[in-house]
Amino acid sequence: MLHGHGDDLYLYPDIRINFSSNVYNHFSHAALFSYLSGRLEGVVNYPDPTPRQLEQELAGEMGLTPSQVMVTNGATEAIYLVAQTWRDSRSSILVPTFSEYADACRMQGHDVRFIRSLTQLDDAPSHLCWLCNPNNPTGQVFDKEILLNAIKSHADVLFVIDASYAVFTRQPLLTAAEAVLMPNVLLLHSMTKEFAIPGLRLGYLTGASALLHRIARQRMPWSVNRLAQDAGSYLIRHRSDYRLPLDTLLAERQRMATQLQQLGLTTWPSDTHILLCRLPNGMASTLKEHLARHYKYLIRDASNFQGLDASCFRIAVQTPQENDALLHAIALFLDDSKVR
């Protein structure tokens, strides 16, 4: 990891409300913990070197074949596997977005360029196009028809589409069932985000069997540990216990955007629970440290996203009460900054 991941909660052990990680922090995992506690004896044996059972379960749920699904150690392993499989390629990355795509590509010798529109793919040939949809850090969703047209008109480009935040929007998205029919599309999925289990590191790829077969040659055995595999199977069976209050989250995101704009901040349009913001002056890192030290709230300093500057930060909205607490703390910080 060359530039650093945003969720650095491990550096702030006494945080009370985490707005930094793009997960919903209010699921109850008590039943999952109880289930896993009864599976602990499994850690004394090697797991399946490739999580075939979990891949079969996911495939069955989505109406795919197991050869069209590859479970990984979080979506991040999938990113690095794709970059490794197409090493020394030319990659275009739509920005602003998650820095891990560029990190993985550079590690594997890619010629990386950053673009702000799919139309820029016509300006210079690329082997791969990386995009996050819904996007991190803006929360925006690409128009599905525009995306499909780009995929069809650039048949020689592999579109690597990170769909980790798919459960956080009402906008139409490319589905796994659609993607596997296209020879130049890979979808990345995150059980980490969907079920709020970032510590377990669980994700998967979907795509045409030929693409996944090629990636599988780079795959490290046992990258997904026994408890993570067990957790994945449990979560699929209990998906109904993890229903997001999506309408509430989307309404709160809009309310937060309005309130922050009234405080003088700039906010990006969003189709999810994610809100990218820019301070009217000063640095987001200063605000982050102030909120962590004085209120035990954690936000994401977004300055290390390509195309953003030191005034940008990102939040994932939580409950109305928690969001109000953050708004109050930011308002006091801004008032204090004016006095100084």
Side-chain angles (χ1 to χ4, degrees), residues 201-254:
R201 312 308 307 133
L202 202 54
Y204 57 99
L205 278 160
T206 55
S209 300
L211 290 175
L212 295 195
H213 179 72
R214 184 173 175 179
I215 296 169
R217 295 200 290 267
Q218 317 297 325
R219 195 181 197 183
M220 185 179 74
W222 299 298
S223 68
V224 183
N225 70 71
R226 178 65 176 270
L227 288 181
Q229 293 185 38
D230 288 342
S233 294
Y234 173 90
L235 291 167
I236 290 171
R237 295 194 303 270
H238 296 84
R239 188 180 294 278
S240 61
D241 296 336
Y242 290 84
R243 289 194 179 126
L244 284 166
L246 186 54
D247 289 338
T248 298
L249 288 175
L250 295 177
E252 277 298 292
R253 183 262 304 148
Q254 184 57 51

Side-chain angles (χ1 to χ4, degrees), residues 90-94 111 113-115 121 124 126 128-130:
R90 290 187 301 273
S91 277
S92 292
I93 302 174
L94 269 86
D111 177 11
R113 69 175 187 138
F114 299 105
I115 60 176
L121 287 174
S126 296
L128 291 87
C129 176
W130 301 74

Side-chain angles (χ1 to χ4, degrees), residues 88-256:
D88 299 323
S89 295
R90 290 187 301 273
S91 277
S92 292
I93 302 174
L94 269 86
V95 293
T97 199
F98 192 35
S99 62
E100 215 75 50
Y101 313 138
D103 288 352
C105 287
R106 291 191 180 106
M107 185 180 290
Q108 298 298 333
H110 289 231
D111 177 11
V112 176
R113 69 175 187 138
F114 299 105
I115 60 176
R116 290 188 174 273
S117 168
L118 288 170
T119 60
Q120 290 182 263
L121 287 174
D122 298 321
D123 299 336
S126 296
H127 299 114
L128 291 87
C129 176
W130 301 74
L131 62 142
C132 191
N133 191 43
N135 188 40
N136 170 25
T138 65
Q140 291 174 306
V141 171
F142 286 90
D143 180 275
K144 185 174 180 178
E145 289 307 312
I146 292 175
L147 180 56
L148 285 171
N149 287 335
I151 292 168
K152 292 173 184 175
S153 61
H154 297 85
D156 56 342
V157 176
L158 176 62
F159 285 78
V160 187
I161 303 173
D162 188 345
S164 292
Y165 303 101
V167 296
F168 291 100
T169 188
R170 297 286 188 202
Q171 298 301 313
L173 300 170
L174 187 65
T175 67
E178 293 171 320
V180 299
L181 300 178
M182 302 176 188
N184 62 330
V185 173
L186 287 168
L187 289 185
L188 281 58
H189 309 266
S190 174
M191 297 184 80
T192 292
K193 301 296 189 297
E194 182 172 0
F195 297 102
I197 50 165
L200 278 174
R201 312 308 307 133
L202 202 54
Y204 57 99
L205 278 160
T206 55
S209 300
L211 290 175
L212 295 195
H213 179 72
R214 184 173 175 179
I215 296 169
R217 295 200 290 267
Q218 317 297 325
R219 195 181 197 183
M220 185 179 74
W222 299 298
S223 68
V224 183
N225 70 71
R226 178 65 176 270
L227 288 181
Q229 293 185 38
D230 288 342
S233 294
Y234 173 90
L235 291 167
I236 290 171
R237 295 194 303 270
H238 296 84
R239 188 180 294 278
S240 61
D241 296 336
Y242 290 84
R243 289 194 179 126
L244 284 166
L246 186 54
D247 289 338
T248 298
L249 288 175
L250 295 177
E252 277 298 292
R253 183 262 304 148
Q254 184 57 51
R255 184 179 72 89
M256 287 284 284

